[in-house]
Amino acid sequence: MKKAVLVVSFGTSYAETRAVTLDAIEQDFKAAFPDCDVFSAYTSNIIRRKLKERDNLNIMSPFEALNYLQENNYDHVYVQSLHIINGYEFAKIKIALLRHKDNFKKLRVGNPLLTTHDDYFAVAKALKSKFPELAEDEAVVMMGHGTDHFANACYPALERVFRTMGDRNVYIGTVEGFPEIEHVMQELEHDKVKKVVLIPLMIVSGDHATNDLAGDDEDSWKFILEKAGYEVKLQLNGMGENEEIRQMFIKHVPRMYQ
Ligand code: CO
C-alpha cells in the first residue's frame, strides 16, 4: 500500500509568508501522517505561472498532482483543501478528483476550513487567541478575500459567530465580495469605534494583506480608515501562522484515512 496526502492551497508568490504559513502547514501534515508521503499543490494558475517564470519553481495544480501520484503508484490518496470557504478554488479540487475518481483504490477529499457550524466556532476561537488586547473604543477589522460565489455568505456568518461568542468588537469585510470596507465603516461609526487593528482573514499574508489592507495607496483599508479619522494598527500575520488553524486542517482530513 502506498499512501499520500496532498495539501492544496490557493498558493502565494510571497516567499516570506509562504515559509511561515503554507510550508508550516505542510510540516505539520508530515508530523501528523508519518505513514504517508505529503505533497502540495496550488489551485491558482496565475501564482503557479508567476513562480515558474520568476523563480523557476514548479508547483503542481491539483490535477497534475493526482497525475503524478497515479504515475508513481500511490493507491490511497487523501486530498486536503487549505482554502477557507467552499468556493471556486475548492471546486477546482473537486473537478480534479472527479477526473481521477477511478484511478486510485481510495481517493478522499477534506473540506475547507469553514464548513460545519463547529468549524466556525473553532476558527473564531483560534483567531481570537491571537488578537491584541483591545481598548474600549478599539476593534479588530479582518479582511477576508470575498467572492461572487454563494460561499461568500461565510464572511458575515463568521462575524455573527463572533457576536454569539460575546465579541462585539470584531468586524469582517472583504476585498472582492460583501461586506465591503464601506459597510464595515457604517458599523464602526454606529458602534462608536475610534481605533482599529487590521488583520488579514487569509491563510497567507500576501498581496492582498500587503497592498489592499496595509498599503499606502488611496484604496487600501489603512488609508481609507485613517482618512476617516480612525487610529489604525496592523497585525499582518496569515492564518497559517496560527497553530490551532493548522491543526484544524489536519482534523479536516477524512476520517476513513485509517
Ligand atoms: Co485575490
Side-chain angles (χ1 to χ4, degrees), residues 235-252:
Q235 192 181 96
L236 299 181
N237 307 90
M239 289 164 67
E241 294 176 53
N242 184 321
E243 318 74 46
E244 279 181 65
I245 297 285
R246 296 207 294 269
Q247 287 303 314
M248 279 190 69
F249 282 121
I250 288 168
K251 284 191 204 131
H252 276 214

Side-chain angles (χ1 to χ4, degrees), residues 10 145 176 208:
F10 177 80
H145 193 278
E176 293 177 21
H208 288 303

Side-chain angles (χ1 to χ4, degrees), residues 163-174:
R163 299 285 172 280
T164 297
M165 289 170 58
D167 298 291
R168 302 194 162 267
N169 50 5
V170 181
Y171 302 81
I172 296 176
T174 68

Side-chain angles (χ1 to χ4, degrees), residues 66-95:
L66 292 175
N67 289 344
Y68 175 88
L69 294 175
Q70 187 191 6
E71 281 158 19
N72 287 275
N73 305 314
Y74 285 90
D75 43 22
H76 286 57
V77 176
Y78 302 89
V79 182
Q80 179 56 50
S81 157
L82 301 184
H83 302 97
I84 295 177
I85 64 169
N86 293 250
Y88 294 124
E89 299 301 317
F90 184 54
K92 290 183 188 172
I93 299 181
K94 288 191 286 189
I95 290 165

Side-chain angles (χ1 to χ4, degrees), residues 3-232:
K3 295 203 233 177
V5 172
L6 174 64
V7 288
V8 186
S9 62
F10 177 80
T12 180
S13 61
Y14 284 59
E16 237 170 81
T17 186
R18 180 170 60 229
V20 293
T21 58
L22 301 181
D23 293 353
I25 293 171
E26 206 177 316
Q27 288 311 315
D28 281 7
F29 270 76
K30 283 182 179 159
F33 302 102
D35 58 335
C36 293
D37 293 327
V38 178
F39 297 91
S40 64
Y42 289 178
T43 53
S44 169
N45 298 330
I46 296 168
I47 303 274
R48 286 188 301 107
R49 202 177 311 132
K50 187 168 175 186
L51 288 172
K52 174 70 193 159
E53 281 164 14
R54 193 190 65 189
D55 308 334
N56 199 26
L57 206 63
N58 286 304
I59 310 252
M60 297 180 283
S61 70
F63 184 66
E64 288 166 355
L66 292 175
N67 289 344
Y68 175 88
L69 294 175
Q70 187 191 6
E71 281 158 19
N72 287 275
N73 305 314
Y74 285 90
D75 43 22
H76 286 57
V77 176
Y78 302 89
V79 182
Q80 179 56 50
S81 157
L82 301 184
H83 302 97
I84 295 177
I85 64 169
N86 293 250
Y88 294 124
E89 299 301 317
F90 184 54
K92 290 183 188 172
I93 299 181
K94 288 191 286 189
I95 290 165
L97 258 85
L98 267 178
R99 294 173 71 187
H100 267 285
K101 69 179 169 42
D102 301 320
N103 300 343
F104 300 96
K105 263 195 206 134
K106 208 173 245 187
L107 178 62
R108 298 278 183 271
V109 63
N111 287 319
L113 193 63
L114 290 176
T115 299
T116 68
H117 291 166
D118 286 348
D119 288 339
Y120 281 79
F121 283 88
V123 166
K125 189 175 145 278
L127 292 173
K128 205 176 142 174
S129 74
K130 303 288 179 191
F131 288 164
E133 195 87 41
L134 297 173
E136 185 68 28
D137 57 353
E138 195 170 20
V140 161
V141 173
M142 298 197 83
M143 172 189 263
H145 193 278
T147 173
D148 58 9
H149 189 283
F150 53 77
N152 186 81
C154 288
Y155 298 103
L158 181 63
E159 189 186 80
R160 182 65 180 78
V161 165
F162 275 109
R163 299 285 172 280
T164 297
M165 289 170 58
D167 298 291
R168 302 194 162 267
N169 50 5
V170 181
Y171 302 81
I172 296 176
T174 68
V175 216
E176 293 177 21
F178 175 86
E180 294 177 37
I181 185 61
E182 288 72 22
H183 307 129
V184 172
M185 286 168 76
Q186 287 172 6
E187 302 300 311
L188 295 176
E189 198 185 336
H190 177 269
D191 296 343
K192 302 190 169 53
V193 173
K194 300 279 179 265
K195 305 168 192 160
V196 298
V197 184
L198 299 179
I199 305 179
L201 182 66
M202 299 182 194
I203 302 302
V204 304
S205 182
D207 196 41
H208 288 303
T210 308
N211 297 311
D212 300 320
L213 186 60
D216 295 322
D217 287 357
E218 351 192 288
D219 54 357
S220 85
W221 286 16
K222 176 171 171 272
F223 187 97
I224 294 168
L225 285 160
E226 280 177 345
K227 199 176 157 199
Y230 292 93
E231 190 185 312
V232 176

